[in-house]
Amino acid sequence: MDRINWLVAAGILNTIAALLHLGCVFGGPSWYRFFGAGEGMARLAAQGSWRPTLITLSITAILAGWAAYAFSGAGLLPRLPLLRPALILICTVYFARAAAYPVMIARMPGHSTTFLQVSSAIVLVFAIVHAIGIWTSWDRL
């Protein structure tokens, strides 16, 4: 891939993640369960609580913002403020989330081991794609 495509790929990954989170809001408890949010979140959604919706919409907004920064770094959107540090922070958060897997196993008994393994692998891929995008586009950021 040439240098712009890695940040485009990062933007696409962030957009997909945002849309999947949004899908949970509309899909309800079964979507929360399927995507590994934990039984507590699924129960709250089934009870009509606003908490899962607010948490999930917050995550959706963050992921959409991260997509905008990746697309901005790729030159597909206007240059956003603090572009380079923002992309570095986004990448760092993804790496930190992937590295947190052992802690999450111990502290999140309501989540399945499979979910934690798969989600940690996914965010590691997101981190790597962002890191390559930042590295290959450094002079333009």
Side-chain angles (χ1 to χ4, degrees), residues 103-129:
V103 174
M104 294 175 79
I105 288 288
R107 299 206 176 201
M108 298 177 76
H111 291 76
S112 75
T113 302
T114 302
F115 165 75
L116 293 174
Q117 289 171 339
V118 170
S119 63
S120 294
I122 289 169
V123 296
L124 180 59
V125 169
F126 280 35
I128 291 167
V129 170

Tab-separated table of all heavy atoms in Angstrom, residues 103-129:
chain	number	residue	atom	x	y	z
A	103	VAL	N	-5.070	-7.699	32.150
A	103	VAL	CA	-5.782	-7.017	33.241
A	103	VAL	C	-7.286	-7.194	33.067
A	103	VAL	O	-8.016	-7.418	34.037
A	103	VAL	CB	-5.408	-5.514	33.277
A	103	VAL	CG1	-6.242	-4.766	34.289
A	103	VAL	CG2	-3.925	-5.346	33.542
A	104	MET	N	-7.741	-7.117	31.840
A	104	MET	CA	-9.175	-7.243	31.575
A	104	MET	C	-9.684	-8.639	31.924
A	104	MET	O	-10.790	-8.786	32.429
A	104	MET	CB	-9.459	-6.904	30.114
A	104	MET	CG	-9.180	-5.452	29.792
A	104	MET	SD	-9.387	-5.084	28.058
A	104	MET	CE	-11.168	-4.958	27.997
A	105	ILE	N	-8.870	-9.655	31.658
A	105	ILE	CA	-9.260	-11.033	32.015
A	105	ILE	C	-9.526	-11.112	33.519
A	105	ILE	O	-10.508	-11.701	33.960
A	105	ILE	CB	-8.147	-12.038	31.613
A	105	ILE	CG1	-8.103	-12.203	30.113
A	105	ILE	CG2	-8.312	-13.382	32.294
A	105	ILE	CD1	-9.261	-12.966	29.526
A	106	ALA	N	-8.654	-10.495	34.298
A	106	ALA	CA	-8.772	-10.565	35.755
A	106	ALA	C	-9.894	-9.685	36.299
A	106	ALA	O	-10.531	-10.030	37.284
A	106	ALA	CB	-7.440	-10.152	36.395
A	107	ARG	N	-10.158	-8.553	35.663
A	107	ARG	CA	-11.084	-7.569	36.235
A	107	ARG	C	-12.451	-7.496	35.572
A	107	ARG	O	-13.278	-6.698	35.988
A	107	ARG	CB	-10.437	-6.201	36.201
A	107	ARG	CG	-9.164	-6.187	37.012
A	107	ARG	CD	-8.862	-4.845	37.490
A	107	ARG	NE	-7.685	-4.937	38.327
A	107	ARG	CZ	-7.376	-4.042	39.205
A	107	ARG	NH1	-8.130	-3.007	39.379
A	107	ARG	NH2	-6.293	-4.182	39.937
A	108	MET	N	-12.662	-8.276	34.531
A	108	MET	CA	-13.936	-8.221	33.820
A	108	MET	C	-14.536	-9.619	33.706
A	108	MET	O	-14.668	-10.161	32.607
A	108	MET	CB	-13.753	-7.583	32.441
A	108	MET	CG	-13.261	-6.152	32.503
A	108	MET	SD	-12.974	-5.431	30.888
A	108	MET	CE	-14.649	-5.104	30.377
A	109	PRO	N	-14.924	-10.197	34.829
A	109	PRO	CA	-15.419	-11.567	34.795
A	109	PRO	C	-16.724	-11.723	34.014
A	109	PRO	O	-17.063	-12.822	33.607
A	109	PRO	CB	-15.618	-11.913	36.276
A	109	PRO	CG	-15.786	-10.595	36.951
A	109	PRO	CD	-14.960	-9.614	36.172
A	110	GLY	N	-17.445	-10.633	33.757
A	110	GLY	CA	-18.697	-10.719	33.012
A	110	GLY	C	-18.501	-10.845	31.515
A	110	GLY	O	-19.458	-11.037	30.773
A	111	HIS	N	-17.261	-10.733	31.055
A	111	HIS	CA	-16.959	-10.836	29.631
A	111	HIS	C	-16.292	-12.175	29.357
A	111	HIS	O	-15.490	-12.650	30.164
A	111	HIS	CB	-16.034	-9.701	29.197
A	111	HIS	CG	-16.685	-8.368	29.208
A	111	HIS	ND1	-16.944	-7.669	30.362
A	111	HIS	CD2	-17.150	-7.598	28.196
A	111	HIS	CE1	-17.527	-6.524	30.063
A	111	HIS	NE2	-17.667	-6.462	28.760
A	112	SER	N	-16.595	-12.749	28.227
A	112	SER	CA	-16.004	-14.049	27.902
A	112	SER	C	-14.532	-13.876	27.521
A	112	SER	O	-14.126	-12.847	26.987
A	112	SER	CB	-16.765	-14.713	26.757
A	112	SER	OG	-16.453	-14.097	25.532
A	113	THR	N	-13.768	-14.906	27.802
A	113	THR	CA	-12.353	-14.912	27.433
A	113	THR	C	-12.211	-14.779	25.919
A	113	THR	O	-11.356	-14.043	25.430
A	113	THR	CB	-11.682	-16.206	27.925
A	113	THR	OG1	-11.838	-16.288	29.338
A	113	THR	CG2	-10.207	-16.234	27.588
A	114	THR	N	-13.079	-15.454	25.193
A	114	THR	CA	-13.030	-15.379	23.728
A	114	THR	C	-13.242	-13.942	23.264
A	114	THR	O	-12.514	-13.444	22.400
A	114	THR	CB	-14.081	-16.307	23.093
A	114	THR	OG1	-13.835	-17.632	23.529
A	114	THR	CG2	-14.032	-16.232	21.580
A	115	PHE	N	-14.248	-13.257	23.829
A	115	PHE	CA	-14.497	-11.869	23.452
A	115	PHE	C	-13.266	-11.005	23.732
A	115	PHE	O	-12.858	-10.203	22.896
A	115	PHE	CB	-15.700	-11.282	24.202
A	115	PHE	CG	-15.754	-9.788	24.097
A	115	PHE	CD1	-16.169	-9.178	22.921
A	115	PHE	CD2	-15.358	-8.991	25.156
A	115	PHE	CE1	-16.201	-7.795	22.809
A	115	PHE	CE2	-15.379	-7.606	25.055
A	115	PHE	CZ	-15.801	-7.007	23.871
A	116	LEU	N	-12.680	-11.161	24.901
A	116	LEU	CA	-11.522	-10.347	25.254
A	116	LEU	C	-10.328	-10.648	24.346
A	116	LEU	O	-9.594	-9.741	23.948
A	116	LEU	CB	-11.166	-10.530	26.726
A	116	LEU	CG	-12.215	-9.986	27.711
A	116	LEU	CD1	-11.843	-10.336	29.142
A	116	LEU	CD2	-12.391	-8.484	27.546
A	117	GLN	N	-10.132	-11.914	23.991
A	117	GLN	CA	-9.044	-12.275	23.081
A	117	GLN	C	-9.277	-11.687	21.691
A	117	GLN	O	-8.382	-11.071	21.108
A	117	GLN	CB	-8.908	-13.797	22.976
A	117	GLN	CG	-8.352	-14.445	24.206
A	117	GLN	CD	-8.426	-15.967	24.147
A	117	GLN	OE1	-9.211	-16.544	23.399
A	117	GLN	NE2	-7.606	-16.620	24.966
A	118	VAL	N	-10.481	-11.871	21.172
A	118	VAL	CA	-10.788	-11.401	19.815
A	118	VAL	C	-10.747	-9.875	19.749
A	118	VAL	O	-10.146	-9.297	18.840
A	118	VAL	CB	-12.152	-11.953	19.343
A	118	VAL	CG1	-12.603	-11.289	18.050
A	118	VAL	CG2	-12.086	-13.463	19.168
A	119	SER	N	-11.370	-9.217	20.721
A	119	SER	CA	-11.388	-7.752	20.683
A	119	SER	C	-9.982	-7.178	20.873
A	119	SER	O	-9.633	-6.171	20.246
A	119	SER	CB	-12.353	-7.187	21.734
A	119	SER	OG	-11.948	-7.520	23.044
A	120	SER	N	-9.164	-7.829	21.687
A	120	SER	CA	-7.786	-7.368	21.855
A	120	SER	C	-6.988	-7.542	20.564
A	120	SER	O	-6.188	-6.673	20.199
A	120	SER	CB	-7.106	-8.116	23.008
A	120	SER	OG	-7.735	-7.781	24.231
A	121	ALA	N	-7.215	-8.633	19.862
A	121	ALA	CA	-6.541	-8.843	18.576
A	121	ALA	C	-7.004	-7.811	17.550
A	121	ALA	O	-6.194	-7.272	16.784
A	121	ALA	CB	-6.804	-10.259	18.065
A	122	ILE	N	-8.291	-7.513	17.553
A	122	ILE	CA	-8.825	-6.526	16.604
A	122	ILE	C	-8.216	-5.155	16.858
A	122	ILE	O	-7.752	-4.493	15.921
A	122	ILE	CB	-10.368	-6.478	16.685
A	122	ILE	CG1	-10.967	-7.753	16.083
A	122	ILE	CG2	-10.913	-5.229	15.983
A	122	ILE	CD1	-12.453	-7.930	16.347
A	123	VAL	N	-8.193	-4.715	18.113
A	123	VAL	CA	-7.642	-3.383	18.376
A	123	VAL	C	-6.130	-3.355	18.148
A	123	VAL	O	-5.590	-2.299	17.816
A	123	VAL	CB	-8.021	-2.824	19.769
A	123	VAL	CG1	-9.521	-2.615	19.873
A	123	VAL	CG2	-7.515	-3.692	20.891
A	124	LEU	N	-5.458	-4.494	18.284
A	124	LEU	CA	-4.037	-4.542	17.948
A	124	LEU	C	-3.847	-4.304	16.444
A	124	LEU	O	-2.957	-3.552	16.040
A	124	LEU	CB	-3.420	-5.876	18.365
A	124	LEU	CG	-1.936	-6.040	18.051
A	124	LEU	CD1	-1.094	-4.965	18.739
A	124	LEU	CD2	-1.465	-7.439	18.466
A	125	VAL	N	-4.694	-4.906	15.638
A	125	VAL	CA	-4.638	-4.661	14.189
A	125	VAL	C	-4.912	-3.183	13.905
A	125	VAL	O	-4.207	-2.553	13.112
A	125	VAL	CB	-5.644	-5.564	13.437
A	125	VAL	CG1	-5.795	-5.136	11.984
A	125	VAL	CG2	-5.220	-7.025	13.531
A	126	PHE	N	-5.925	-2.602	14.571
A	126	PHE	CA	-6.218	-1.175	14.398
A	126	PHE	C	-4.983	-0.343	14.745
A	126	PHE	O	-4.631	0.591	14.026
A	126	PHE	CB	-7.375	-0.749	15.302
A	126	PHE	CG	-8.753	-1.088	14.800
A	126	PHE	CD1	-9.021	-2.247	14.094
A	126	PHE	CD2	-9.805	-0.240	15.067
A	126	PHE	CE1	-10.297	-2.548	13.656
A	126	PHE	CE2	-11.087	-0.522	14.630
A	126	PHE	CZ	-11.343	-1.677	13.928
A	127	ALA	N	-4.327	-0.683	15.850
A	127	ALA	CA	-3.143	0.062	16.279
A	127	ALA	C	-2.028	-0.029	15.245
A	127	ALA	O	-1.389	0.975	14.923
A	127	ALA	CB	-2.657	-0.459	17.633
A	128	ILE	N	-1.805	-1.211	14.733
A	128	ILE	CA	-0.738	-1.404	13.743
A	128	ILE	C	-1.038	-0.630	12.464
A	128	ILE	O	-0.150	0.033	11.913
A	128	ILE	CB	-0.526	-2.910	13.467
A	128	ILE	CG1	0.072	-3.588	14.709
A	128	ILE	CG2	0.348	-3.132	12.240
A	128	ILE	CD1	0.045	-5.108	14.677
A	129	VAL	N	-2.266	-0.676	11.995
A	129	VAL	CA	-2.644	0.065	10.788
A	129	VAL	C	-2.446	1.558	11.001
A	129	VAL	O	-1.895	2.257	10.150
A	129	VAL	CB	-4.094	-0.269	10.363
A	129	VAL	CG1	-4.573	0.669	9.257
A	129	VAL	CG2	-4.199	-1.725	9.911
